[in-house]
Amino acid sequence: MKNLFFDTRILDKRANDELLIPSEILMENAARGMLEFLRPKLSSNSRILLVCGSGDNGADCLALARMLYGMCKLSIYAPFGAKSTLCQWQLDCLKRIAKAQNFQDIEFLESLTPPLNAEIVVDGIFGAGFKGELNAKSTEILKILNAMDALKIACDMPSGITQSGTLGGEIAFKADFTLTMGALKVALFCDEAKDFVGEVQQLPLGISPAIFETPSPIQLLEKSDFKPPVREKQNTHKGNFGHLCVYLGEKQGAGILCALSALQSGAGLVSVLGDAKNLPYSLMQTTEIPHNTSAIALGMGLGKGQSLESLFEFLHTRNVPLLLDADIFYYTEFMQFLTLQNIILTPHPKEFTQILKATGIATISTQELQKDRIAYAQKFCSHYPNATLILKGANTLIAHNQRIWINPFGNNALAKGGSGDVLSGILSALLTQGYSPLNSAINGVLMHSFCAESYCKKYNNFSLNPLDLIEQIRYI
């Protein structure tokens, strides 16, 4: 896991004040990191366009231009001049060097007039602290840059992405790589940013992250965080791996997908509660909750008006983990589940707005939620610290007791009916096998993403269906 921060300028100031590392040195290290990234991609004939803002993000790019001078052909465009002290200083340095070399292999552009001849574009217009809205000039510049057939590099943050990870207008710089300085920013891993950041690479600022960073309640999941339920002991039986009970409802297919997914994910036994026809042979059918149930999955395709009396009677005597999804969030009885110790909630954004309304936390639209997902997830968990929340999205959030984990591995192949039912099955299987709700959430969300990733290595992303997703579990 890696730390994520809303505002890394606090870390920069700490480096200045406590570690006595001046901003000039931090900036030189940032530029050096970008240079080392670009060096393997350069030749003496390479043409690079650097678009520099008026603040310290623009200064980073101007420092990079100074280091690149003499290695390739440069074009510098500073549409808003140089306003910060460091930006003015870096621009003066670059111009003095250029003047001494009779401006060979460098030009300072007055405007961006297509066609622009550049193989690499570096965006340094706005940095990670951008909070406002793009004006007409900025929007037009970004449209021109995005239309260029070039390798696109964002300095720290693609311009147009705000500090909260939302778009500051209708567009943002569409990077192939984002080279972010010092520490990782939360905004880079928010849903709206996902189509613009490209591959994110963290550049050091001349000091170890372990020293530069401070503890953060927001973490980025890595592939190494995945701990699958691999069976090591040979002297075992199916009962050692738990018995999952899945509630069926009006749309029984959803519950059956959940059950099949759970069986594929390692649950020893899976029973479906309800009157099902043509049930797969691998699943068991029951009319009451089995006495040896070790986890329950509820909500997938449940519909309206289903009786939950027997479930409450069972939970009154047995503290088994509970997975809640989909339709259950619209039941009035839902609030009673929030008092339990071992629950996972897996809503998509619209369902989460219903949860927020039912709990009295907030009455908001889905669009309002998407603008501030982390804040609302934290609000929910402050009210219900025992619950583990999985808020689905392009970068799914896991929230528990004021801490947030972000999964960056999801992809658009999962935007298909039934994918969430498969996730519920994976999560329920992990609960059944003894994982805690939080560890089930972390490992289940990662497994779900890796299944989609595995499928897309061989097949078109639009063709994934839930049974394909279940099939991929065996290869993870």
Side-chain angles (χ1 to χ4, degrees):
M1 297 178 191
K2 291 185 176 180
N3 288 322
L4 293 176
F5 300 89
F6 277 110
D7 190 353
T8 57
R9 292 173 298 182
I10 297 172
L11 303 181
D12 293 343
K13 190 174 188 308
R14 175 176 169 269
N16 298 158
D17 298 342
E18 297 181 23
L19 307 178
L20 302 181
I21 304 174
S23 296
E24 292 83 353
I25 290 180
L26 297 178
M27 184 169 288
E28 287 297 296
N29 285 320
R32 178 68 60 181
M34 290 191 287
L35 174 66
E36 294 307 316
F37 174 84
L38 288 172
R39 196 187 295 274
K41 301 171 173 55
L42 300 178
S43 70
S44 59
N45 293 320
S46 296
R47 300 191 65 88
I48 301 181
L49 169 64
L50 298 102
V51 184
C52 309
S54 61
D56 287 354
N57 194 244
D60 288 336
C61 283
L62 291 167
L64 171 63
R66 169 169 46 80
M67 295 178 184
L68 286 168
Y69 201 163
M71 299 174 59
C72 54
K73 297 175 173 56
L74 301 174
S75 297
I76 310 297
Y77 180 49
F80 307 109
K83 296 178 182 177
S84 77
T85 301
L86 286 176
C87 191
Q88 291 173 350
W89 176 57
Q90 293 288 3
L91 183 59
D92 290 342
C93 289
L94 180 61
K95 286 187 173 180
R96 286 200 180 197
I97 293 172
K99 184 177 180 181
Q101 300 298 318
N102 294 318
F103 295 92
Q104 291 182 6
D105 294 330
I106 188 170
E107 58 179 338
F108 292 87
L109 303 177
E110 295 296 326
S111 64
L112 285 183
T113 305
L116 294 163
N117 183 19
E119 298 149 37
I120 299 173
V121 174
V122 180
D123 159 41
I125 305 173
F126 303 113
F130 177 62
K131 296 180 181 179
E133 295 185 3
L134 294 174
N135 59 27
K137 184 175 182 178
S138 299
T139 300
E140 185 58 30
I141 290 170
L142 293 177
K143 286 181 178 179
I144 293 171
L145 297 181
N146 284 347
M148 293 179 64
D149 183 16
L151 178 67
K152 298 182 177 69
I153 310 295
C155 174
D156 209 28
M157 179 78 66
S159 292
I161 300 294
T162 68
Q163 190 177 29
S164 63
T166 59
L167 291 180
E170 62 184 75
I171 196 173
F173 182 75
K174 194 170 178 63
D176 296 301
F177 294 92
T178 295
L179 308 182
T180 198
M181 317 307 181
L184 294 173
K185 288 78 179 170
V186 169
L188 293 169
F189 302 97
C190 291
D191 281 12
E192 286 193 18
K194 186 154 186 157
D195 285 318
F196 298 95
V197 297
E199 181 180 324
V200 177
Q201 297 206 11
Q202 183 178 359
L203 302 182
L205 292 178
I207 183 171
S208 165
I211 299 172
F212 179 73
E213 296 177 8
T214 56
S216 172
I218 305 176
Q219 302 279 304
L220 181 72
L221 294 179
E222 302 178 89
K223 290 195 173 184
S224 59
D225 294 318
F226 180 49
K227 304 295 186 292
V230 177
R231 298 182 178 184
E232 297 179 353
K233 188 177 179 181
Q234 296 297 327
N235 183 25
T236 60
H237 58 84
K238 58 183 178 289
N240 294 128
F241 304 103
H243 189 166
L244 174 67
C245 178
V246 179
Y247 267 70
L248 297 186
E250 292 179 2
K251 298 178 181 178
Q252 296 186 350
I256 291 172
L257 284 173
C258 172
L260 289 172
S261 171
L263 199 63
Q264 190 88 330
S265 300
L269 293 163
V270 180
S271 293
V272 294
L273 196 161
D275 184 17
K277 297 180 180 179
N278 300 318
L279 197 66
Y281 295 140
S282 56
L283 303 178
M284 299 185 295
Q285 188 169 5
T286 183
T287 57
E288 60 183 24
I289 302 173
H291 69 91
N292 61 343
T293 292
S294 48
I296 296 171
L298 173 67
M300 302 72 58
L302 188 64
K304 300 178 180 179
Q306 301 293 320
S307 174
L308 302 177
E309 183 177 347
S310 61
L311 174 59
F312 286 115
E313 291 177 358
F314 183 86
L315 293 175
H316 183 70
T317 59
R318 296 280 303 279
N319 182 29
V320 301
L322 186 63
L323 183 287
L324 302 174
D325 187 25
D327 292 342
I328 191 61
F329 302 131
Y330 296 91
Y331 274 61
T332 56
E333 297 96 329
F334 164 69
M335 295 293 294
Q336 298 179 51
F337 294 124
L338 293 178
T339 63
L340 301 175
Q341 296 291 319
N342 299 308
I343 60 169
I344 298 178
L345 289 70
T346 64
H348 58 55
K350 184 178 179 181
E351 291 164 350
F352 189 50
T353 62
Q354 168 61 25
I355 293 171
L356 293 174
K357 181 179 179 180
T359 55
I361 295 173
T363 300
I364 56 172
S365 67
T366 303
Q367 291 73 24
E368 289 172 308
L369 168 66
Q370 292 295 81
K371 295 291 183 183
D372 210 357
R373 287 161 54 89
I374 289 176
Y376 283 109
Q378 288 177 322
K379 284 181 181 179
F380 173 81
C381 288
S382 69
H383 284 75
Y384 302 98
N386 292 326
T388 298
L389 170 70
I390 297 173
L391 179 54
K392 300 170 187 173
N395 285 331
T396 290
L397 301 183
I398 299 167
H400 178 76
N401 197 18
Q402 294 300 293
R403 297 189 65 193
I404 300 287
W405 293 262
I406 299 180
N407 170 37
F409 301 111
N411 65 55
N412 53 14
L414 292 169
K416 188 73 66 79
S419 291
D421 303 319
V422 175
L423 174 61
S424 292
I426 294 171
L427 296 165
S428 301
L430 296 176
L431 288 172
T432 300
Q433 293 171 86
Y435 285 65
S436 69
L438 178 57
N439 284 331
S440 295
I442 289 172
N443 287 283
V445 165
L446 287 173
M447 186 189 295
H448 191 243
S449 297
F450 296 162
C451 287
E453 186 179 80
S454 174
Y455 178 88
C456 292
K457 289 178 180 178
K458 294 183 178 180
Y459 308 107
N460 291 318
N461 58 5
F462 62 81
S463 65
L464 178 70
N465 69 54
L467 294 177
D468 293 327
L469 202 52
I470 294 171
E471 174 67 18
Q472 292 302 311
I473 294 172
R474 71 177 69 233
Y475 304 114
I476 300 305

